[in-house]
Amino acid sequence: MTAFLRRHAFLLVLLAAGTTLRVLAWVAYQPALLYIDSFRYLDNLHALRADGLNPIGYDLLLRPLLAVGGLSLVTAIQHLGGLAIAVGSYALARRLGARHWVSALAAAPLLLDGYQVQIEQNIMAELLFEALLLGLLWLLLAKGTPNWRRIALAGLVIGLSVLVRLIGITLAVPFLLYVLAAGNAWRSWRGWRNAAAGLLAMLVVVVPYAAEVKAQTGKWGLSGPSGSMLYGRTAAVADCANLRLDPALMRFCPTEPVENRLVDNYTHADLDPAWPGPLPPGADKGALAHEFAIDVLKVQWPDVAASILGDFAKSFQFTRDTAVTDVPIDRWQFQLTYPEFAEPGVISAVTQQYDGRNPKVDEPIAVFLRDYQINGGFVPGAVLGFFALLGLLTVLRRKRPRDKARSGALFAAGTGLFLLFASAVFEFSWRYQLPALVLLPVAGALGFTTLTAASRRRLGSFPDAVDEGALADFHGRHPGAKLSELTVVIAAYNEAGGIGQVLEKMPDECLGLPVDVLVVVDGGTDDTAAIAEDHGAYVCVAPTNRGQGAALRLGYHLAAENGAKYIVTTDGDGQYDNSEMADLVAPLLEDTADFVTGSRRLGHEEADSRMRWLGVRVFAWLASLLTWRHITDTSFGFRSMHAKLACEIPLNEPQYQSSELMLGATARGARVLERPMSMRLRKAGKSKKGGSVVYGANYARVMTGTWWRGYVLRRGRKRTGRAS
């Protein structure tokens, strides 16, 4: 049990917080929150007619629940369902290879978003739709490339989602694309057969329902005749003064200024019997509204497209703003009094009917929930966009056999973005962003897992077999070696073109201390070792290339075991200025710091990549946030530290070790100092760090993982004493 709690600790903390929010919401707003759509669901509970504005899928769940309990039972079950969906997202991410903490982050948006908690307290179909989305992910992703049976079941799930929320019909597009793309299935008849099986399964649900709509309304469709998405979109931007319209069509022109037009009002304008005013005898106002929309679209299609794209972009705002033309955001926010979306007395009649009491609000709890929700208790759209980007960036990774995380990231990201776009085509509402909480965080978790997969191998405890071989090589080359108190450690992999110049410019002494240099050749294949020895450096050759982090860890221990008291690190490519070493070493000798690092941002930088220039600043901000210290540069390789500290910090990363060392030092309470330094362009060779995207993802993984171990789990954390 202890091991289980430890493995899932992060999720359990988030789950406890999410449960607390849901209990508070359930207690604060009794028996439930009732929105406009809630009354439509309740009115159709027994008739289950298909000619209404909302499909009947939610009623099929609502009916049995209300038969055994009241509205408060429904909301309690919806809150439990929200927790279950979050756990299901966590389990799926884990199944596809994401680490525990990454998987927990995928579940966090669902657990902690105040708008999600608010919608669960409503008698609304959102929670059921989200559950179907999670089911779709599990069917398609959990066991690798899906067979035709799982594809058919997924098609049924999509069909059922259409009966819950009409926007579910748009899921057919990413679903069929994924089925055909998975394993290049489109190249074989089996792939097309599987796609046909999924489409047929979806139609088995949708077509009979559409036929029932036709039987009740006389027209094929998935809802009653009310509403016209195309009219709503075009009416909101129509420049009627410059359109040549028939007199009958001119009646469909809105009278409000364009900047004040709310798409939602025009989409459902036909709910007003007086709309749009007198028409010729026998005129079909629905047909005329459609004709008006087509005429506007022919002339103003750029305006319509810009309006849709603008609404789509709103989903990725960092803040939750609402424009005059948007559905008011306060519909989805906790209020201090019970929200009224019906005629006086109707809400009380409904709650009396199902729960035998009037609606009530616990004001102190409502104040807390509202403050939480408005003051940051939601997932910023920019964060969802970042999750989507991580998922999409997996296309840059070379596909490996049976790479479930990569295909899952692409499907979840593509489906989430397509669903948001399809919702924006209809109209913008923050309510329509909620399904993305199921899809995009999972996409981000799987994308992060895919982008960092190549570097997730961790080092064993020092010394491992490779370290033993390297130590034997060192003692064979330098029997009885005694290093200076101040030793420079350089990790080098195929740096024959630059290591000689670096060693030539290395000072013989620094602040009165003689300087020795230890070059750790990380399984290289060129003449780096021979060149280093020719320049008077101590050399240690590791039999296998493992990465800079492994080589530096080996160098720290080797230097400390052979007399070094202070260690300086630099690179073998000539990017750092050895003449600045005294500025690094002085704080150690003065006993004002335990760990000193240069900073290109405080000094001088020659950047060869705008992405790396940006990355330095982003990761400095992240490190500052995680450690509550002002840090300007986490990846500067010119550093100094007490040898004892370097050996005490748990170092497990074969690559991307820079932030592991710095955050490891801060976690142990070391006195960390930054000094302005220079960073020049590489003089020879090429970087071993890989592409900017992959490097950034791996660097973020190492940084957050080190923070988690050092600050949260506190493994091996202790106050670093001053070296004597």
Side-chain angles (χ1 to χ4, degrees), residues 29-30 52 80 120 164 174 220 235 255 300 335 358 374 377 403 427 469 492 511 522 553 660 665 682:
Y29 300 93
Q30 277 289 315
L80 290 173
E120 292 173 15
V164 175
W220 287 95
T255 58
Q300 292 186 248
Q335 303 298 323
N358 291 327
I374 292 177
D403 193 346
E427 66 178 358
L511 299 178
D522 188 34
R553 186 184 74 167
E660 183 186 33
R682 170 183 279 269

Side-chain angles (χ1 to χ4, degrees), residues 512-555:
L513 293 177
V515 175
D516 280 335
V517 181
L518 170 62
V519 177
V520 180
V521 179
D522 188 34
T525 58
D526 64 1
D527 296 330
T528 299
I531 295 172
E533 285 188 324
D534 288 345
H535 284 78
Y538 290 92
V539 174
C540 171
V541 178
T544 302
N545 173 245
R546 295 179 295 172
Q548 186 186 46
L552 286 174
R553 186 184 74 167
L554 171 60

Side-chain angles (χ1 to χ4, degrees), residues 139-441:
L139 283 169
L140 294 179
L141 306 179
K143 295 183 179 180
T145 303
N147 57 29
W148 73 269
R149 294 179 182 84
R150 285 194 286 132
I151 290 171
L153 286 173
L156 285 173
V157 168
I158 292 176
L160 291 173
S161 75
V162 177
L163 268 60
V164 175
R165 282 196 58 205
L166 295 180
I167 194 68
I169 194 67
T170 63
L171 296 172
V173 175
F175 165 62
L176 293 175
L177 289 176
Y178 173 77
V179 170
L180 290 172
N184 292 322
W186 62 274
R187 294 182 177 178
S188 68
W189 71 270
R190 285 189 178 87
W192 290 97
R193 179 202 66 183
N194 291 347
L199 181 61
L200 181 62
M202 183 177 64
L203 294 177
V204 164
V205 179
V206 173
V207 171
Y209 189 75
E212 181 62 22
V213 172
K214 183 179 186 302
Q216 296 182 19
T217 66
K219 296 181 181 180
W220 287 95
L222 295 172
S223 67
S226 176
S228 172
M229 177 188 71
L230 189 58
Y231 173 72
R233 266 291 165 200
T234 54
V237 299
D239 182 11
C240 295
N242 295 309
L243 293 174
R244 296 179 180 179
L245 299 173
D246 292 336
L249 296 183
M250 284 296 295
R251 291 195 174 275
F252 291 86
C253 287
T255 58
E256 299 91 346
V258 171
E259 60 271 16
N260 293 332
R261 295 179 191 174
L262 177 59
V263 175
D264 189 60
N265 290 342
Y266 306 115
T267 300
H268 302 299
D270 60 350
L271 293 175
D272 180 3
W275 173 83
L279 293 173
D284 184 339
K285 65 180 181 181
L288 289 174
H290 182 74
E291 185 179 347
F292 168 87
I294 295 299
D295 285 352
V296 174
L297 196 59
K298 288 178 180 177
V299 178
Q300 292 186 248
W301 66 265
D303 296 326
V304 175
S307 177
I308 292 171
L309 292 175
D311 280 352
F312 176 61
K314 289 176 184 177
S315 295
F316 306 106
Q317 293 178 177
F318 196 85
T319 57
R320 287 288 170 96
D321 301 320
T322 180
V324 175
T325 55
D326 294 340
V327 175
I329 193 173
D330 59 5
R331 298 182 183 184
W332 322 118
Q333 292 174 335
F334 291 113
Q335 303 298 323
L336 303 185
T337 58
Y338 198 92
E340 298 282 347
F341 292 108
E343 296 294 329
V346 172
I347 294 178
S348 295
V350 170
T351 59
Q352 283 287 347
Q353 177 184 352
Y354 291 106
D355 292 77
R357 52 180 162 162
N358 291 327
K360 69 171 185 175
V361 175
D362 187 304
E363 187 174 350
I365 300 179
V367 168
F368 169 79
L369 289 172
R370 181 173 175 81
D371 287 345
Y372 169 80
Q373 183 184 30
I374 292 177
N375 297 315
F378 60 87
V379 181
V383 173
L384 288 178
F386 177 70
F387 289 149
L389 181 63
L390 283 178
L392 295 178
L393 285 175
T394 58
V395 299
L396 302 178
R397 291 292 286 174
R398 188 173 181 178
K399 190 172 183 179
R400 296 179 290 117
R402 304 171 74 177
D403 193 346
K404 296 185 293 184
R406 179 179 183 270
S407 60
L410 288 171
F411 176 70
T415 304
L417 291 174
F418 194 80
L419 196 59
L420 286 175
F421 179 77
S423 298
V425 171
F426 175 63
E427 66 178 358
F428 175 77
S429 171
W430 287 111
R431 166 190 168 196
Y432 298 151
Q433 193 193 52
L434 293 178
L437 297 180
V438 179
L439 299 165
L440 296 185

Side-chain angles (χ1 to χ4, degrees), residues 448-697:
F448 184 76
T449 298
T450 302
L451 294 172
T452 61
S455 74
R456 292 179 61 187
R457 178 176 55 86
R458 302 183 71 200
L459 298 172
S461 300
F462 182 87
D464 60 18
V466 177
D467 294 324
E468 294 283 6
L471 292 171
D473 174 84
F474 175 81
H475 293 302
R477 292 172 183 267
H478 311 288
K482 180 69 174 177
L483 300 182
S484 167
E485 285 189 16
L486 177 58
T487 297
V488 178
V489 175
I490 300 176
Y493 174 65
N494 292 347
E495 295 287 1
I499 191 68
Q501 296 181 42
V502 172
L503 295 175
E504 287 172 3
K505 296 179 180 179
M506 190 70 65
D508 294 328
E509 68 170 20
C510 179
L511 299 178
L513 293 177
V515 175
D516 280 335
V517 181
L518 170 62
V519 177
V520 180
V521 179
D522 188 34
T525 58
D526 64 1
D527 296 330
T528 299
I531 295 172
E533 285 188 324
D534 288 345
H535 284 78
Y538 290 92
V539 174
C540 171
V541 178
T544 302
N545 173 245
R546 295 179 295 172
Q548 186 186 46
L552 286 174
R553 186 184 74 167
L554 171 60
Y556 299 153
H557 284 273
L558 191 53
E561 290 170 3
N562 288 274
K565 185 176 180 181
Y566 310 106
I567 290 175
V568 172
T569 64
T570 190
D571 288 350
D573 54 19
Q575 288 186 288
Y576 303 113
D577 186 351
N578 291 340
S579 67
E580 297 177 329
M581 186 184 300
D583 289 339
L584 287 177
V585 175
L588 300 183
L589 301 182
E590 295 165 359
D591 196 24
T592 58
D594 304 304
F595 183 96
V596 185
T597 179
S599 169
R600 76 200 84 186
R601 293 179 64 192
L602 298 178
H604 173 70
E605 174 183 11
E606 295 178 4
D608 62 348
S609 166
R610 292 188 66 84
M611 283 294 292
R612 286 190 183 161
W613 181 92
L614 178 63
V616 167
R617 285 147 181 82
V618 169
F619 289 120
W621 172 84
L622 179 59
S624 299
L625 179 66
L626 294 176
T627 63
W628 289 95
R629 296 170 180 245
H630 180 60
I631 296 173
T632 65
D633 195 340
T634 65
S635 57
F636 203 80
F638 200 19
R639 294 169 162 177
S640 69
M641 66 205 84
H642 288 292
K644 180 181 179 183
L645 173 63
C647 295
E648 287 178 345
I649 296 172
L651 299 174
N652 304 305
E653 296 293 337
Q655 274 287 17
Y656 314 102
Q657 49 71 44
S658 183
S659 63
E660 183 186 33
L661 181 66
M662 175 178 276
L663 266 67
T666 61
R668 298 178 73 80
R671 296 168 295 171
V672 175
L673 216 57
E674 286 188 301
R675 284 287 181 265
M677 295 283 165
S678 303
M679 186 167 186
R680 301 184 292 248
L681 295 177
R682 170 183 279 269
K683 299 300 182 183
K686 61 180 182 179
S687 174
K688 318 301 190 299
K689 295 176 180 178
S692 297
V693 172
V694 174
Y695 179 80

Side-chain angles (χ1 to χ4, degrees), residues 4-22 83 86-87 90 100-101 103-105 107-112 372 707-708 712-713:
F4 174 86
L5 295 176
R6 194 173 179 82
R7 280 197 308 272
H8 306 291
F10 194 11
L11 174 69
L12 293 175
V13 170
L14 295 172
L15 199 58
T19 301
T20 300
L21 289 172
R22 284 159 173 80
L83 297 174
V87 172
Y90 173 83
H100 289 92
W101 67 271
S103 302
L105 288 177
L110 276 163
L111 290 170
L112 303 180
Y372 169 80
W707 171 81
W708 177 254
V712 180
L713 299 181

